[in-house]
Amino acid sequence: MDESVKILCVDDEKNVLKALERLFLDEDYEIITADSGDQGLQVMEAEYPVQVIISDYRMPGMNGVDFLKIVCERWPETVRIVLSGYADTAAVVAAINEGQIYKFIPKPWNDDELKVTIAKAIESFFLVQKNIELTRELQDSNEELKALNENLENMVEERTSEVIFQNKVLARSQTILDSLPVGVLGVAPEGMIVQCNRVGCELLGNDISALLGHEASSALPAALNDLLAKLGNEKHACGAAVIGDCRIMVVASAMSCDCGQAGRILVLVPEERLKM
């Protein structure tokens, strides 16, 4: 134990106090004495923390149990022990719970037994202190965890709001694309079709599920793939392609993306709509 150990001995008989001081002379304890309950409370005020109190039961004014009851209320961690003559045994046992007394030791005491009792009392004190410390740490950890959870909930709520907003934007963007009188086709840098509006699907004669996520080289007509190849590193290219029975004017544009490579946007315009 790094913390020094203080033992307060309270007895109105000077010879008893001297006997207790001699008993613990070879121990690494600081022995403090008081000759009354009132003086014992004053000592506790000045010397706290005091790990163990050994108090006589019969004292003028305030008896030992009343004294230890006050100690229990004000310094509950301190281990409380009562010394008393055999004649007081019944009275002390009846009053023990009032002061939550750790142990009752009869006078005259056995030195070895008293030393063992004090050693166990000190061990009990530090175990209680450790439990209090662990409980506080656990409470602090719970508060930190609660704060983290609240922060996480706020982040999730914010992220969910962002996703909902983005989904609304995407849905409106798709609605706008589907309202255009021309076909719009998006091809990612790696060649995958990532966008196609309603008119585009109609012109290509395919359901959107047959286009999105598929390679342009296999899902698109050869004429459109030729135009994509023609675009190369150019920003824009245009041409005509016959798809089914319809002649379509095609405008291809390069589209930059985060990866540094260029995707492709194809705008498909049926020739008859150019005459409108």
Side-chain angles (χ1 to χ4, degrees):
M1 297 175 293
D2 295 332
E3 188 175 344
S4 63
V5 175
K6 295 179 183 178
I7 300 175
L8 172 59
C9 301
V10 183
D11 199 302
D12 62 312
E13 296 182 30
K14 299 293 185 182
N15 61 322
V16 172
L17 295 177
K18 289 185 179 298
L20 290 172
E21 287 180 319
R22 286 195 300 270
L23 179 62
F24 298 112
L25 195 60
D26 296 331
E27 303 291 342
D28 192 21
Y29 306 148
E30 181 181 349
I31 305 300
I32 310 166
T33 61
D35 60 14
S36 67
D38 289 329
Q39 188 180 13
L41 295 175
Q42 294 174 13
V43 170
M44 286 296 294
E45 289 277 5
E47 297 290 341
Y48 188 81
V50 174
Q51 286 76 18
V52 179
I53 294 179
I54 305 172
S55 175
D56 185 30
Y57 173 64
R58 283 185 177 274
M59 293 186 293
M62 186 187 304
N63 68 37
V65 172
D66 290 338
F67 162 65
L68 293 178
K69 184 178 179 181
I70 297 173
V71 170
C72 179
E73 293 171 352
R74 298 178 61 182
W75 303 281
E77 299 91 352
T78 299
V79 181
R80 298 166 293 279
I81 295 173
V82 170
L83 287 177
S84 187
Y86 285 108
D88 302 320
T89 302
V92 172
V93 170
I96 271 180
N97 288 335
E98 294 184 31
Q100 296 184 30
I101 294 164
Y102 174 76
K103 196 161 185 178
F104 162 66
I105 297 176
K107 291 180 179 178
W109 63 80
N110 178 285
D111 286 353
D112 292 334
E113 290 179 2
L114 182 55
K115 283 186 174 182
V116 170
T117 297
I118 296 303
K120 289 182 177 180
I122 293 168
E123 182 180 357
S124 175
F125 174 88
F126 284 107
L127 283 175
V128 170
Q129 291 296 105
K130 186 62 176 178
N131 285 337
I132 292 172
E133 182 181 339
L134 290 174
T135 300
R136 288 172 180 166
E137 290 177 358
L138 182 59
Q139 290 173 343
D140 291 342
S141 297
N142 287 338
E143 288 299 321
E144 290 177 7
L145 183 59
K146 182 180 178 181
L148 287 173
N149 283 336
E150 289 177 353
N151 186 45
L152 181 60
E153 288 174 2
N154 292 335
M155 291 174 63
V156 169
E157 186 176 344
E158 291 175 4
R159 183 58 182 154
T160 300
S161 299
E162 290 177 7
V163 170
I164 291 173
F165 176 75
Q166 291 173 1
N167 286 340
K168 287 181 179 179
V169 170
L170 288 173
R172 289 176 182 173
S173 298
Q174 186 64 45
T175 300
I176 292 171
L177 288 174
D178 287 340
S179 301
L180 295 175
V182 297
V184 179
L185 190 72
V187 181
E190 64 274 14
M192 180 184 294
I193 299 173
V194 293
Q195 180 61 274
C196 187
N197 70 346
R198 178 181 57 80
V199 174
C201 291
E202 292 173 355
L203 293 175
L204 294 173
N206 275 323
D207 185 84
I208 194 167
S209 62
L211 295 170
L212 293 186
H214 294 273
E215 293 292 327
S217 58
S218 59
L220 297 181
L224 291 183
N225 283 313
D226 290 342
L227 192 59
L228 284 171
K230 178 182 175 182
L231 180 60
N233 294 324
E234 299 295 327
K235 288 187 177 181
H236 306 285
C238 58
V242 177
I243 301 175
D245 298 330
C246 184
R247 182 177 172 82
I248 297 175
M249 299 302 296
V250 183
V251 178
S253 298
M255 174 182 63
S256 61
C257 64
D258 295 338
C259 64
Q261 298 177 332
R264 302 288 187 264
I265 297 177
L266 299 180
V267 178
L268 313 177
V269 186
E271 195 170 65
E272 65 267 16
R273 292 187 181 176
L274 294 174
K275 300 174 182 178
M276 294 174 64

